[in-house]
Amino acid sequence: MLSTTEAIEAVLAATTASTTETVAADESTGRVLRQIIRAERDQPPFDRVTMDGIAFAWADYESGQRNFPVQGMQAAGDEVMTLRDGQCIEIMTGAALPENANCIVPVERIAVVDGIAEIEPEYVVKKDRYIHPRGSDCAKGAHLLTPGKCVSPLDIAVIASCGETQVDVAKDPVIRVISTGNELVAAGRSIKAHQIRMSNGPALVSLLASHGYDHCEHDHIVDDIDALRERLAKHLGEAEVLVLSGGVSMGKADYVPAVLADLGVEVNFHKISQRPGKPMWFGVGPDGQLVFALPGNPVSALVCCRQYVIPALRKAAGMTETAPVFAALASNVSFKPALTCFQPVKLISGAAGQTLAIPVKTNTSGDFAALSATDGYVELPKDQTNFPAGTAVFLHRWIAR
Ligand code: AMP
Ligand code: MG
């Protein structure tokens, strides 16, 4: 049986890059960049005044002048004025520094009487103070954002500051989420005592959406070989990524692996030495479609989606890898079987600012209320049975892009 590391390596090895599309810059939040964003101009593009006040020449101040006739006013966005000898210009924050000026005194430190600005006697003027020099943040052409960056609201500011109206980003693959099982009944439909509410489909669609993949259609297929063959063939023809849940265990109605094989989906692995999610199946379709068949147990389905499907989608987009995140166990954990344990946790902050993970017990049948209180899960490596409080472990948040 594959280890969790071997399983993720196999998934990533089978994942190829998605195509590129061009989108409006203001609709690119959460998308993965496929181009370099370069500074359009020096930043700031001119010597920028950072205080409301007056601008004058240092040479005049140095020679003892303290009263300056006001030549005029220049606000942000005004054309640059040329300062005349011995005078000052009333200047506003964000304005370009007037020609010949190199000194700013804030408005709080002057008094203007009859058109003459007088500097407070005790105020010490410094040359170049309150001037944000041209190009001091970055030079024209500097690489500000690189391919692989997931566009954040802060990046939107960078893109806008470079004057870009469109950006090249990774095109999301077409993803289908498919619930299998005779017992499943969707919300809003009448349900009998022996039936189960279908929760995996909506939860997987939502988990994918929370990672930015927000156009995933959902289908429900009953445990019937012909129905599975017909519908899965259709989905394989239309989608690039299939995320199935249920029907991959050893039960007599678990037809999913056999039907997928029948449709030309080559099995890459079946079963991972982990809990939950041990029965997971993964294969590659005839046209390179990634087919993830997750166990039906709701905790397993969500963990497997977060652990294997999301990293594959990130790789397809060319997203820059993020550094692993750790948390410290808030209490002792013991785990018997020689499997990697993905333990759902609730996160709190410790007194020293560290992230503490409180293990939350979930019943195997899918204890939704308990799961809903968790922020993610921690990875407890196999071949170790006792994890004392304070042990640093890998943390995977449910929602993190
Ligand atoms: P399976 O992997 O098909 O054997 O399903 C394992 C368990 O998960 C069974 O108790 C199923 O009823 C349950 N299950 C399967 N699919 C879903 C689903 N979409 N929503 C909720 N429970 C499910
Ligand atoms: Mg089933």
Side-chain angles (χ1 to χ4, degrees), residues 46 48-49 52 73-79 90-96:
F46 46 80
R48 192 178 68 93
V49 173
D52 298 321
M73 196 274 278
Q74 191 191 315
D78 288 350
E79 294 281 349
E90 283 186 309
I91 199 82
M92 305 301 142
T93 302

Side-chain angles (χ1 to χ4, degrees), residues 88-100:
C88 74
I89 290 172
E90 283 186 309
I91 199 82
M92 305 301 142
T93 302
L97 187 68
E99 207 81 49
N100 303 331

